[in-house]
Amino acid sequence: MNSFFKTVAVTAVAAAALMGGTAVQAEGERYILVSHAPDSDSWWNTIRNALALAGEQMGVEVEYRNPPTGDIADMARIIEQAAASGPDGIITTLADPDVLGDSITAAVDAGIDVIIMNSGTPDQAREVGALMYVGQPEYDAGYAAGLRAAGDGVTSFLCVNHVISNPVVAERCSGFADGLGVDLGDSMIDAGQDPAEIQNRVIAYLNANPDTDGILTLGPTSADPTILALEEMGLAGDIYFGTFDLGENIVAGIRDGVIQWGIDQQPFLQAYLPVVVLTNYHRYGVLPGNNINSGPGFITADGLEMVEALAGEYR
Amino acid sequence: MSETQPAAGGPDDERIKEIGGLRTWLIRPELGGIVGVITVFVFFGILAGDSGMFNPQGILNWSQVSAQFMIIAVGACMLMVAGEFDLSVGSMIGFAGISIAMFGVVWGLPMWIAILITFVICIAIGAINGLIVVRTGLPSFIVTLAFLFILRGFTIFIPQTVESRTIIGGIEDAAEGDWLASIFSADIMQWLFVLMADWGWIDTFTRGTREGEPVVTGIPMLIVWALVLVVVGHTILTRTRYGNWIFAAGGDAQAARYVGVPVDRVKISMFMVTAFCSTVFACCQVFEFGTAAADRGILKEFEAIIAVVIGGALLTGGYGSVVGAALGAIIFGVVQQGLFFAGVENSLFRVFLGVILLFAVILNTYVRRIITGER
């Protein structure tokens, strides 16, 4: 019994010590970044690294928040909560404007400066009263990718969507289809988040539709298992394969010729620039006049070294 | 509880043991919850007192989150007292939301009809859950686990097939002026908050179209629903014969059957209550945010069960209290939101949540055992 309580006490003290360690107050302004990403989405690691780096360089306090299961309604509560804690600025995605719009507008009305990053459009950002939008216009990026693939002779494709619940991300697929000049139809599959499931669904689709000559994945979550699926089917390097976002496996895939190109929306800039913009706005009253497009940038086998060195960390 | 015959209850009756007032109070299942609520408020008062957690917006924020937990915890608690589990709560929330959107927006029915149809469907599914459990004798854990997947599957399949999307918006427009929808989404007592803003007690918006309006416009119906469900649930459980049947069905189903309690009916009705609570949750969410999405409510079943267990209910059934579950929901909500306000790093936040939940349950159990001498 005694030792039991001792364990509990030690745990509590350790927890309190850790908590103290993370709650250190930095000098200056305080900014909160709220994303829509579930805990399982490793792509956001770059965002967190860039956010921390920007906070360090600018001498401001930064915090990262996300809904653990990716539930957008929970995210709305997190934005309300962030606003209630009275930060100088909130940087957030606009994964679903219907759900998040009111919470963001209320924060803006309460005197907090908001920058929309990653998901959303410049128009939507203006509607909710944000200062600007920093990110990659998804449809346009998909369209550009579609044109490129059409030029390379692709005629039909599979779009592996691991975030079917986010309509903004799905626009990449429809943009790609339009750029390619084909009907989206059943080309987009709901792959889920589990690697093994994604792999099997890609295999199943390609078996059922053997004339598919192009694949588009929407991020490392869907790209990594797709690479494995293609290797298993002996199609790696044979089938035209483009992807959004970067990660270690994607970079390796580009180097090995399995993936033709990766579209980098440069998440680093999406987290870094809003902190810099907000800090300078609050300190010196200067604000860029336009939205900032962080992407799309096509990454191919040329000039891959630096990308390779920093993939998954800052790229 | 109120069934004791006065004639047999005289002071010399050996079946009745005198219990002091303090002791009666101490063996209540809510005790751990009360201790826990005081603890978390003191804890966060010290740790996050000046972080905005206790300004009107902050209070509204954790109250709303707690109220959400409370709504599903009431159903989960009554079902758990009746000796069963429901793991389909989270999927039911997503399902009910999509159902409202399909009937009300996609198929264009008046919103109040869409809501009523949804309640009927969901409560019927609850009844099916219960029926399968009592007919087959399978653990409710397994049966409702199956429904977790069945409902989630339909929730994605139906809007995907009909509309080729999994998020359906436009609910705000469709629900405009609808009497039943407003029961789930309105803010009440707005005059009070305007008054408080005038007195300078609460902040007002400093710019934009809502300049001068209070930052908190009223008490959301979500919170009202939570309180109403707690009061009704508590009354049924402690003040009615049906409440006694629920305890009996969960405590010892066979013994209850011998004394004439319709155990099967009681259990099925509690599955229906759980489904009802999930649908209330879904309605509040759908009409507050204006969209229904297929991935709403993931993991909410566990959050409901956590709240109930912190609130002092036994996982084995037959013991628990709706007020305790409500206190558990408050603890859960305040801890979850409070850690944000305290500036705890996001990934560590769940570690602390786990530690504090564990601590609350252990405290709860030990305090009760030490005081009651229960082994």
Side-chain angles (χ1 to χ4, degrees):
Chain A
M1 193 66 142
N2 259 336
S3 71
F4 170 77
F5 277 117
K6 210 178 274 175
T7 314
V8 172
V10 167
T11 313
V13 169
L18 262 172
M19 202 175 293
T22 56
V24 171
Q25 300 285 312
E27 291 297 315
E29 297 81 355
R30 183 165 149 265
Y31 301 119
I32 301 175
L33 192 155
V34 185
S35 89
H36 58 263
D39 290 344
S40 53
D41 195 338
S42 56
W43 183 85
W44 289 81
N45 194 33
T46 305
I47 296 268
R48 303 185 62 161
N49 288 340
L51 181 73
L53 185 68
E56 206 176 291
Q57 289 184 355
M58 302 305 290
V60 297
E61 194 185 335
V62 289
E63 290 170 36
Y64 176 84
R65 302 277 178 248
N66 69 313
T69 58
D71 189 325
I72 307 293
D74 285 349
M75 181 185 173
R77 295 261 180 265
I78 294 175
I79 291 173
E80 285 165 9
Q81 177 186 46
S85 71
D88 297 284
I90 294 176
I91 305 157
T92 180
T93 71
L94 202 47
D96 186 340
D98 285 335
V99 175
L100 303 174
D102 287 347
S103 306
I104 295 174
T105 313
V108 171
D109 289 344
I112 298 163
D113 291 313
V114 173
I115 289 182
I116 303 297
M117 52 88 78
N118 181 262
S119 295
T121 65
D123 286 341
Q124 290 167 347
R126 197 170 45 242
E127 266 168 42
V128 296
L131 292 178
M132 63 165 62
Y133 167 74
V134 180
Q136 169 179 266
E138 303 293 357
Y139 179 86
D140 295 351
Y143 190 76
L147 287 179
R148 191 181 180 114
D152 291 340
V154 174
T155 56
S156 66
F157 75 107
L158 159 67
C159 177
V160 189
N161 189 346
H162 65 279
V163 271
I164 196 85
S165 54
N166 185 338
V168 180
V169 175
E171 292 214 333
R172 294 170 173 178
C173 295
S174 48
F176 190 80
D178 290 348
L180 207 55
V182 302
D183 197 31
L184 180 59
D186 294 330
S187 299
M188 182 169 76
I189 58 168
D190 170 12
Q193 300 266 344
D194 181 76
E197 275 172 36
I198 296 172
Q199 186 181 346
N200 289 324
R201 273 172 213 177
V202 170
I203 292 173
Y205 183 92
L206 291 178
N207 281 331
N209 302 276
D211 47 352
T212 306
D213 58 6
I215 291 183
L216 179 70
T217 56
L218 303 186
T221 310
S222 49
D224 295 359
T226 303
I227 296 171
L228 296 177
L230 295 181
E231 279 168 358
E232 194 177 319
M233 297 180 79
L235 289 173
D238 249 13
I239 199 163
Y240 192 87
F241 184 177
T243 184
F244 277 82
D245 303 340
L246 291 178
E248 279 176 43
N249 293 336
I250 292 176
V251 171
I254 294 172
R255 189 188 56 223
D256 301 342
V258 176
I259 299 175
Q260 269 63 44
W261 39 256
I263 295 174
D264 191 9
Q265 59 167 301
Q266 306 189 93
F268 179 90
L269 294 179
Q270 294 178 2
Y272 184 84
L273 288 179
V275 175
V276 173
V277 166
L278 283 172
T279 310
N280 285 309
Y281 181 51
H282 290 145
R283 287 186 187 164
Y284 312 113
V286 292
L287 186 69
N290 285 319
N291 300 300
I292 300 173
N293 280 358
S294 67
F298 287 91
I299 289 174
T300 58
D302 307 328
L304 204 61
E305 293 83 21
M306 186 163 183
V307 176
E308 200 167 0
L310 297 175
E313 196 178 344
Y314 292 109
R315 287 302 300 263
Chain B
M1 225 159 266
S2 56
E3 295 302 290
T4 321
Q5 297 296 315
D12 298 332
D13 193 322
E14 60 172 11
R15 291 172 300 179
I16 294 180
K17 189 179 160 200
E18 278 292 319
I19 297 178
L22 180 67
R23 198 170 165 79
T24 321
W25 195 80
L26 285 175
I27 59 171
R28 296 175 71 88
E30 298 92 2
L31 178 73
I34 293 167
V35 173
V37 166
I38 295 169
T39 312
V40 294
F41 275 107
V42 170
F43 184 72
F44 286 109
I46 294 166
L47 207 68
D50 55 353
S51 66
M53 183 175 173
F54 296 104
N55 68 22
Q57 283 166 286
I59 292 171
L60 182 74
N61 184 262
W62 52 253
S63 305
Q64 275 180 297
V65 172
S66 297
Q68 284 187 336
F69 290 139
M70 223 182 263
I71 287 173
I72 44 175
V74 169
C77 174
M78 293 178 75
L79 182 65
M80 208 183 282
V81 171
E84 303 292 343
F85 265 123
D86 191 347
L87 292 182
S88 67
V89 167
S91 296
M92 185 75 88
I93 290 168
F95 180 81
I98 287 290
S99 164
I100 290 169
M102 292 303 290
F103 285 112
V105 178
V106 177
W107 293 320
L109 293 177
M111 200 45 88
W112 63 274
I113 296 182
I115 296 169
L116 291 180
I117 293 175
T118 300
F119 268 102
V120 169
I121 294 175
C122 292
I123 292 172
I125 293 170
I128 295 170
N129 257 330
L131 208 61
I132 296 174
V133 168
V134 298
R135 282 279 184 278
T136 60
L138 290 169
S140 50
F141 188 88
I142 299 300
V143 173
T144 57
L145 185 63
F147 271 87
L148 182 157
F149 289 109
I150 294 169
L151 288 176
R152 184 66 67 191
F154 276 128
T155 307
I156 298 170
F157 176 78
I158 294 169
Q160 261 285 3
T161 316
V162 179
E163 283 283 282
S164 49
R165 54 186 174 153
T166 56
I167 298 185
I168 299 173
I171 292 172
E172 247 159 352
D173 296 335
E176 186 74 47
D178 190 273
W179 61 275
L180 193 53
S182 64
I183 292 181
F184 295 101
S185 62
D187 281 353
I188 60 164
M189 297 186 12
Q190 303 200 354
W191 54 270
L192 180 66
F193 288 87
V194 172
L195 214 58
M196 288 204 289
D198 287 345
W199 292 336
W201 290 7
I202 58 177
D203 292 339
T204 53
F205 285 116
T206 55
R207 60 183 181 181
T209 51
R210 295 167 67 189
E211 190 179 344
E213 286 180 35
V215 289
V216 177
T217 52
I219 296 173
M221 283 303 291
L222 175 74
I223 293 174
V224 177
W225 269 102
L227 296 178
V228 167
L229 285 173
V230 169
V231 170
V232 172
H234 181 74
T235 309
I236 290 174
L237 212 50
T238 58
R239 298 274 178 274
T240 66
R241 187 166 67 162
Y242 206 78
N244 281 348
W245 286 359
I246 297 170
F247 278 106
D252 188 337
Q254 203 50 50
R257 277 192 194 95
Y258 289 146
V259 296
V261 175
V263 171
D264 289 358
R265 218 170 70 201
V266 168
K267 288 194 173 184
I268 293 170
S269 66
M270 287 305 111
F271 274 104
M272 293 162 78
V273 167
T274 313
F276 173 82
C277 291
S278 306
T279 314
V280 169
F281 182 107
C283 287
C284 291
Q285 194 174 56
V286 161
F287 292 115
E288 180 181 355
F289 293 118
T291 63
D295 60 354
R296 293 282 153 73
I298 291 172
L299 293 184
K300 288 281 183 277
E301 54 277 340
F302 291 109
E303 294 174 351
I305 291 170
I306 289 168
V308 174
V309 173
I310 296 176
L314 287 186
L315 287 163
T316 45
Y319 184 82
S321 125
V322 169
V323 172
L327 294 170
I330 292 174
I331 295 172
F332 194 26
V334 170
V335 168
Q336 188 182 22
Q337 300 303 98
L339 285 170
F340 279 122
F341 281 107
V344 175
E345 216 283 320
N346 209 49
S347 44
L348 290 176
F349 139 75
R350 268 167 288 285
V351 177
F352 299 128
L353 189 63
V355 169
I356 290 174
L357 291 182
L358 195 59
F359 191 70
V361 177
I362 290 167
L363 185 80
N364 195 340
T365 311
Y366 276 82
V367 166
R368 197 178 64 230
R369 280 191 193 166
I370 290 164
I371 291 168
T372 59
E374 193 185 307
R375 281 287 133 201

